[in-house]
Amino acid sequence: MPMQVAILGHESTLAALAHQLYRIEGSDSADLERRAEAALLAANPRLAKAEGFTVGTPVVVPAVSGLVLTDKVKSAGIDEQGLTNETAMRLQALSSGIDDSFRQAAEVRQEAMAHLNDSKFVASAKEALPESTKLLDAARDRLMQEGKEAETTSKNFQGAVSTALERLQFLEELLRSDGQV
């Protein structure tokens, strides 16, 4: 089944997004809205936080029983261009999901670093284990190193996705120009 994707506009809540992507009407609209929101959240975990609603970000739009999609949802066709569109949509969705993972890992590192820099925590650790100063310093160094490595990996990944999307666009242009690959 072709992937269905939409691009985030200025929606800032799951409810607003659900109403943009699905026709939610009728006497059971409250239940339909809850189901649409749950499906969107399951397919796009980053939407659990306000930061996940970035304008221009692709959103995977799952089918929800009893709901019809609006024209804001794009679906790839079965021809050559549909295949390249489907591939591009999947790359964009994958990229967005991986970016979310890098962002979540960075948040966890920041929280850990805050603990390691908390004077009460450091004092408790020293009291419990005098040698902990070396361990805490090593943990700080490791978190900083992981952050740098993650930043480099994220940039490399973003570059690879951009290159793949550019090559897909070139493939589409070839298909349009002579109908053959």
Side-chain angles (χ1 to χ4, degrees), residues 62-74:
V64 176
S65 177
L67 286 174
V68 175
L69 299 173
T70 67
D71 60 354
K72 299 211 183 253
V73 179
K74 299 175 189 174

Side-chain angles (χ1 to χ4, degrees), residues 5-9 11 17 21 54-59 72 74 92:
V5 175
I7 303 300
L8 274 173
E11 301 85 7
L17 183 59
L21 304 178
T54 304
V55 174
T57 303
V59 176
K72 299 211 183 253
K74 299 175 189 174
Q92 290 170 339

Side-chain angles (χ1 to χ4, degrees), residues 124-137:
S124 295
K126 284 181 183 177
E127 185 178 318
L129 182 67
E131 302 86 33
S132 66
T133 303
K134 290 180 184 179
L135 295 173
L136 294 175
D137 289 341

Side-chain angles (χ1 to χ4, degrees), residues 98-117:
I98 290 176
D99 285 345
D100 289 341
S101 295
F102 278 113
R103 194 174 6 263
Q104 288 171 347
E107 289 172 5
V108 169
R109 278 192 304 278
Q110 287 175 342
E111 289 173 14
M113 193 63 94
H115 259 330
L116 292 172
N117 291 326

Side-chain angles (χ1 to χ4, degrees), residues 56-93:
T57 303
V59 176
V60 175
V61 183
V64 176
S65 177
L67 286 174
V68 175
L69 299 173
T70 67
D71 60 354
K72 299 211 183 253
V73 179
K74 299 175 189 174
S75 183
I78 57 172
D79 61 358
E80 293 91 354
Q81 185 159 359
L83 292 174
T84 56
N85 286 341
E86 172 86 6
T87 303
M89 286 186 225
R90 288 182 183 271
L91 274 171
Q92 290 170 339

